[in-house]
Amino acid sequence: MKMRVEECAQRMGISGQALRIGIQRGRFPFGNCWKGSGTRLYYYINRADFERWERGDWGVGNEEKEIEE
């Protein structure tokens, strides 16, 4: 399910613009950005991926952690 940039940014405690820039630079793995016609950029944030990231269940080593438990 899709999540709005404004909602995601509010939950993170940052501005929508900071979130957009972070997604553009690949700093937030739960979102994607692509260029449309002209100079317009489109953003997609996957709600399930964001919530997993927010809980800290995202990143390198999680697979090993799950096996160890």
Side-chain angles (χ1 to χ4, degrees), residues 2-59:
K2 186 171 136 175
M3 183 177 200
R4 294 184 54 81
V5 168
E6 294 80 13
E7 178 188 356
C8 184
Q10 182 180 27
R11 286 176 60 173
M12 295 175 71
I14 61 175
S15 69
Q17 186 63 22
L19 176 58
R20 288 181 189 93
I21 291 169
I23 291 172
Q24 289 173 32
R25 294 180 180 173
R27 295 190 178 167
F28 301 121
F30 49 79
N32 291 303
C33 173
W34 64 95
K35 188 173 181 179
S37 60
T39 59
R40 184 177 172 120
L41 295 175
Y42 293 89
Y43 297 86
Y44 177 79
I45 298 170
N46 182 292
R47 181 177 297 276
D49 286 349
F50 169 73
E51 289 174 350
R52 199 173 70 165
W53 177 86
E54 188 177 40
R55 288 191 309 267
D57 293 341
W58 190 286

